[in-house]
Amino acid sequence: MIQQQPNDPNQPKPPDQIQEQPHQPPPPPEEPFRPPQDRYLMVPRLGPLSRSILVLGCGVGTSMAALLGVFLLNVLADENIMGLYANYVIPAGALLVGLAASSGYAFAAWFSGRKMSGPLLLTIVLLQILAYFGAQYLEYLANVAAGAPNMGFFAYFDMTTQSWAWKDKNGGVGQPLGKLGYLLRFGEIVGFTLGAILPPLALRGLPYCSLCERYMKTRQLAVLPAEAGPVEEMTSLAKARHLDGFADAVKGHQANKKANAKLGRRVTVKLIHCVQCSGGHLQFTLEEGSGQQIKHTQMGDVPLDPEFVRDVVDARPW
Ligand SMILES: [Zn+2]
């Protein structure tokens, strides 16, 4: 008995056609099959656990480097970055140190395609608080090694917290804050942790392809006047997979991008796509106002055929 050839998924044939020529091998494809992976520089894919370890490892690394920098500046230049406050209430220094400290989490997550999940974010927060106290402990050990009076860590922590004082503009040091120092200590920890979760939070807002487990790319295609005509034109060309028409429309709109960006009401069109599976969609956003008063309203997404996404990306009409 002759076994029926499996249907080729790339060139599906109706079953009756397969029946007619059972012994003929399928014709070779005109173009050699190139997996989409070959077309872009790819990060080697890691398993979910390895990626989590990579993200946490890189983040802890940059945190230690940032806190070491703080320590060295304190010792060598007598400059306490962590204690820099803007308007006496915003722990600007601690925020900046937190940002630098957590850059490793965000970069590693972006490069490895690790989704910034809630549990991972929580782990980062806990690790950053731990890193803060770890740094305090190391500072304590360094002080003991340097011959400071022997006291327990908590007594040292209490003493340093209560002896904080504001520096005045002439470089002089004011009265120690006493118990109020704990307010500054609290601000420092909050600022450091807040700074540390900002980059991971920003990453969480990026479009993500859960199929390929990687972050998607966003490309602004056009800024249109907020009128039905041009919006509908782009939508229907994309839905009809009319590559040439769509590319011409994008090219045309690119020329008017700057002028249209000054309009009070305008629609931005973004192509959001995965470089691996070419899954993607068009995102239409209504923007109103200018400067810091811009109001964004999502107008909805137009899902795209992966083949069309691949062709548009190859055509690069922007
Ligand atoms: Zn994908």
Side-chain angles (χ1 to χ4, degrees):
M1 181 188 155
I2 299 162
Q3 204 173 351
Q4 192 179 308
Q5 289 291 312
N7 208 342
D8 182 357
N10 289 322
Q11 295 176 318
K13 289 176 193 149
D16 54 343
Q17 231 178 310
I18 297 167
Q19 294 288 332
E20 277 169 26
Q21 313 160 325
H23 298 293
Q24 271 191 9
E30 284 170 15
E31 250 189 275
F33 175 71
R34 38 173 201 167
Q37 285 90 332
D38 281 2
R39 305 169 353 135
Y40 299 95
L41 176 71
M42 299 298 287
V43 181
R45 306 310 291 168
L46 298 166
L49 181 67
S50 322
R51 273 184 278 174
S52 302
I53 293 171
L54 180 78
V55 168
L56 295 177
C58 287
V60 169
T62 46
S63 297
M64 283 164 70
L67 290 167
L68 182 69
V70 171
F71 174 72
L72 288 178
L73 267 173
N74 212 344
V75 172
L76 301 176
D78 196 25
E79 193 63 64
N80 182 18
I81 306 180
M82 282 288 228
L84 287 182
Y85 276 73
N87 304 327
Y88 292 99
V89 279
I90 303 163
L95 267 169
L96 283 178
V97 177
L99 274 177
S102 84
S103 53
Y105 296 114
F107 276 119
W110 192 82
F111 277 116
S112 69
R114 174 66 163 90
K115 192 176 168 68
M116 198 47 76
S117 62
L120 183 60
L121 211 57
L122 190 71
T123 311
I124 291 175
V125 169
L126 294 177
L127 277 174
Q128 289 317 92
I129 296 175
L130 211 67
Y132 177 87
F133 282 100
Q136 295 300 319
Y137 191 72
L138 289 180
E139 193 185 299
Y140 157 73
L141 288 183
N143 270 283
V144 170
N150 199 6
M151 58 170 86
F153 169 65
F154 290 103
Y156 168 82
F157 189 77
D158 182 61
M159 186 197 76
T160 47
T161 306
Q162 294 214 33
S163 61
W164 270 346
W166 292 113
K167 266 186 188 170
D168 58 33
K169 284 192 179 123
N170 308 321
V173 179
Q175 286 292 312
L177 287 169
K179 292 260 189 285
L180 273 180
Y182 275 98
L183 265 182
L184 287 197
R185 185 66 91 178
F186 181 71
E188 205 176 272
I189 296 169
V190 168
F192 178 68
T193 313
L194 202 67
I197 56 167
L198 285 180
L201 268 182
L203 207 57
R204 205 173 148 82
L206 288 184
Y208 184 80
C209 177
S210 28
L211 191 70
C212 308
E213 299 191 321
R214 64 183 307 136
Y215 291 90
M216 295 168 93
K217 282 204 165 173
T218 299
R219 167 79 60 178
Q220 192 183 76
L221 296 183
V223 181
L224 312 172
E227 294 157 13
V231 173
E232 273 164 20
E233 187 209 7
M234 284 200 83
T235 308
S236 56
L237 284 170
K239 277 186 178 163
R241 304 181 207 170
H242 192 318
L243 177 67
D244 293 339
F246 187 79
D248 285 346
V250 170
K251 274 180 202 154
H253 292 309
Q254 285 285 321
N256 303 325
K257 213 161 93 173
K258 276 190 180 160
N260 287 347
K262 289 177 187 152
L263 295 172
R265 295 179 83 240
R266 61 218 172 260
V267 175
T268 58
V269 188
K270 285 176 180 160
L271 171 68
I272 293 169
H273 67 105
C274 172
V275 296
Q276 193 162 339
C277 69
S278 294
H281 57 268
L282 288 183
Q283 187 187 64
F284 291 84
T285 312
L286 174 68
E287 287 185 8
E288 291 165 291
S290 60
Q292 296 190 323
Q293 300 288 313
I294 298 181
K295 188 183 160 206
H296 295 87
T297 313
Q298 294 302 328
M299 298 170 66
D301 296 341
V302 176
L304 298 174
D305 182 68
E307 194 93 347
F308 182 72
V309 171
R310 200 168 304 148
D311 290 345
V312 170
V313 172
D314 280 348
R316 296 190 153 269
W318 41 78

